[in-house]
Amino acid sequence: MDNEFEKEINPEQLPEEPVTPPEEDTTYRYKPEPMPEYVARPTPEPAPRYNPAPAPQKKKRGNGKRIIALCLLCAVIGGICGIGGTVLGLRLLSRHTGKTTEYIAGVLQGQRENTVIKIEEIDTSKLLTPAEVYAANVNSTVSINATGKVTGGYWGSSQTAASAGSGFIFSGDGYVVTNHHVIENMDTITVTLYDKRELPATLIGYDESNDVAVLKVEGKNLTPVVLGDSDNLNVGDNVVAIGNPLGELSFTLTAGYISAKDRTIQMSGGGVMTLLQTDCPINSGNSGGALFNMYGEVIGITNAKYSNNGSSEASIDNIGFAIPMNQVKQIVSAIIEKGVVTKPYIGVTVTPVSEQLLIMGIPEGALITEVTPDAPAAVGGLRINDIITHVNGEAIKDNAELVAKVGAFAPGESVEFTVYRRGNTVKVTVVIGEKIQPAS
């Protein structure tokens, strides 16, 4: 190949000293084609490691697998991105299922299957959500409405009184449990089920001191509650109530906690009861309803709300009470089976120690004002003016705590009472008796 540089410059005209070609000449020398030695050099074959692997053939997938993959993708996207991810997933899914998501003026309307609780799979060995407790038990709860004639009008005329409360189905053959004060002095009682059936009810029996009453209805497909162990509770346990607050809002669920156990409460009628305390909202009309633990078991009968002035209308919020189920199981069973009420009994009348005596140094406790002749207390050696300060070694403050302690024993049990008697402390052993009274 001719050198173009030599064509343009005559060698005879060159100076004696050699002239260095410009820098760009070197660049120009190798362009536009390489030097002969590079052209002649054979091109080496690429090393095997650089051989590209043949592209795999794409497999065709059926529509079913694509839908499954898209569903999984939708679930992942929805879990990470919340609503936005769910909308995106539904858009992808709609291409294959035909379902669409509607958009109305910028409002997103989600689509999903309705939640269905399988009640047949619920058992009392598993913790449940409030929704599951409600679904499993709402058909076992009832609303109660009652009417009766009371005197008190002008010239002693009678007037019609009405009462509303709650209850629950105790057994499948139609026995219903509620509070005594719900049906007290009522002539006509109607029980309403969740399926809207209204059944006339008959009063079978009651225990006024424990505020428990048993009714009987005739009906098919009645679902009883599951009774729980109210002793197996801790302060802070979750509970829910199902009832008829205000006598109008039937089958309402409220939720809260066990706030305290073994509260000794002086009732408005003068009696003393040992109750569970809860912050679960309890209102007028909830009386007689079931208090459930989170295993779906009845552990109490709601019966009272704390009042600041003795009126049921003026109440303090978030302080409600329920009768422990263990306290009334035997009472309800005795009413149903025998038509009577049996109670632990020692045969004394007691009152709190007065402030004047406490100032004089007399210990607090339950002051005995009367002893029934031949009763267990008399046989054991308790006397009038004795002050009971301890029951089986546990201190008591007043008569209410004594009643609660005695009520927890079974007939035939021996109990040791520590007594302050005229400046001395003595111990008296009494065998708990049984008092039987008609239940109606």
Side-chain angles (χ1 to χ4, degrees):
M1 178 177 173
D2 295 332
N3 192 318
E4 294 181 1
F5 182 81
E6 293 178 355
K7 287 181 181 180
E8 295 177 0
I9 301 175
N10 189 344
E12 296 179 358
Q13 297 178 352
L14 291 174
E16 294 181 1
E17 295 183 1
V19 178
T20 304
E23 272 186 39
E24 65 272 16
D25 180 66
T26 303
T27 303
Y28 185 77
R29 182 182 299 275
Y30 293 97
K31 192 175 180 179
E33 53 186 336
M35 296 295 292
E37 57 266 24
Y38 291 105
V39 174
R41 182 178 299 172
T43 303
E45 294 184 3
R49 61 177 178 274
Y50 295 112
N51 286 340
Q57 295 294 326
K58 292 185 179 180
K59 296 181 180 180
K60 295 184 178 180
R61 302 190 180 194
N63 289 336
K65 292 184 179 179
R66 294 176 64 189
I67 292 175
I68 293 173
L70 286 169
C71 288
L72 293 174
L73 177 60
C74 293
V76 173
I77 294 174
I80 297 174
C81 302
I83 295 175
T86 303
V87 172
L88 176 59
L90 288 171
R91 287 177 177 173
L92 294 173
L93 183 60
S94 65
R95 299 177 185 176
H96 298 274
T97 62
K99 294 184 180 179
T100 59
T101 301
E102 298 179 6
Y103 299 90
I104 304 174
V107 177
L108 302 181
Q109 178 179 321
Q111 290 187 351
R112 64 181 176 85
E113 296 294 330
N114 292 333
T115 301
V116 178
I117 299 172
K118 297 181 179 180
I119 299 176
E120 67 272 10
E121 295 181 2
I122 296 174
D123 60 58
T124 58
S125 65
K126 299 177 182 178
L127 279 171
L128 309 177
T129 65
E132 289 172 328
V133 174
Y134 184 85
N137 290 283
V138 68
N139 288 305
S140 303
T141 60
V142 301
S143 296
I144 297 174
N145 291 279
T147 58
K149 297 290 185 179
V150 296
T151 58
Y154 292 107
W155 309 105
S157 61
S158 62
Q159 295 179 331
T160 300
S163 176
S166 307
F168 56 88
I169 300 173
F170 185 79
S171 63
D173 52 356
Y175 287 102
V176 174
V177 173
T178 187
N179 284 148
H180 170 257
H181 75 261
V182 171
I183 51 81
E184 185 177 13
N185 299 323
M186 296 292 110
D187 301 319
T188 303
I189 306 171
T190 302
V191 166
T192 303
L193 307 182
Y194 183 65
D195 60 12
K196 302 187 184 305
R197 282 184 289 169
E198 295 185 355
L199 306 177
T202 302
L203 176 62
I204 300 299
Y206 59 86
D207 179 0
E208 183 176 0
S209 62
N210 283 295
D211 199 18
V212 175
V214 179
L215 311 177
K216 183 69 164 63
V217 297
E218 299 297 333
K220 296 181 179 179
N221 301 320
L222 300 177
T223 306
V225 297
V226 177
L227 302 181
D229 183 0
S230 57
D231 291 335
N232 189 21
L233 286 173
N234 298 298
V235 173
D237 283 352
N238 292 90
V239 290
V240 298
I242 302 176
N244 182 27
L246 308 182
E248 300 175 354
L249 306 175
S250 55
F251 306 105
T252 293
L253 179 140
T254 55
Y257 300 92
I258 293 295
S259 304
K261 299 173 61 178
D262 301 324
R263 286 292 197 205
T264 302
I265 304 298
Q266 189 88 30
M267 307 303 290
S268 58
V272 177
M273 298 188 71
T274 302
L275 304 174
L276 298 170
Q277 181 182 329
T278 176
D279 69 343
C280 187
I282 306 290
N283 293 288
S284 174
N286 276 109
S287 294
L291 186 69
F292 294 93
N293 61 19
M294 301 314 294
Y295 295 92
E297 302 167 332
V298 177
I299 45 82
I301 305 173
T302 57
N303 76 321
K305 186 174 183 180
Y306 201 81
S307 176
N308 57 0
N309 64 0
S311 169
S312 61
E313 299 299 326
S315 300
I316 297 173
D317 292 337
N318 301 327
I319 301 181
F321 298 96
I323 309 168
M325 200 63 221
N326 289 7
Q327 189 173 312
V328 296
K329 283 179 184 177
Q330 294 182 347
I331 295 173
V332 173
S333 297
I335 292 173
I336 294 173
E337 296 172 4
K338 304 175 183 177
V340 297
V341 176
T342 60
K343 300 178 181 179
Y345 165 75
I346 62 172
V348 296
T349 302
V350 289
T351 186
V353 177
S354 66
E355 291 290 337
Q356 292 83 355
L357 291 176
L358 292 174
I359 292 173
M360 295 170 58
I362 303 300
E364 64 181 3
L367 173 63
I368 298 177
T369 59
E370 184 179 350
V371 178
T372 303
D374 301 324
V379 173
L382 291 176
R383 304 175 187 176
I384 294 176
N385 293 326
D386 281 350
I387 298 174
I388 300 176
T389 60
H390 294 75
V391 178
N392 276 354
E394 295 185 9
I396 61 170
K397 295 180 180 179
D398 52 28
N399 59 323
E401 291 196 2
L402 176 66
V403 172
K405 292 288 186 184
V406 171
F409 293 109
E413 287 190 79
S414 294
V415 179
E416 182 184 77
F417 295 98
T418 302
V419 175
Y420 177 82
R421 179 183 293 169
R422 295 185 179 184
N424 297 315
T425 298
V426 298
K427 295 185 184 296
V428 177
T429 299
V430 175
V431 177
I432 302 296
E434 183 179 51
K435 186 176 183 179
I436 300 176
Q437 64 186 50
S440 60

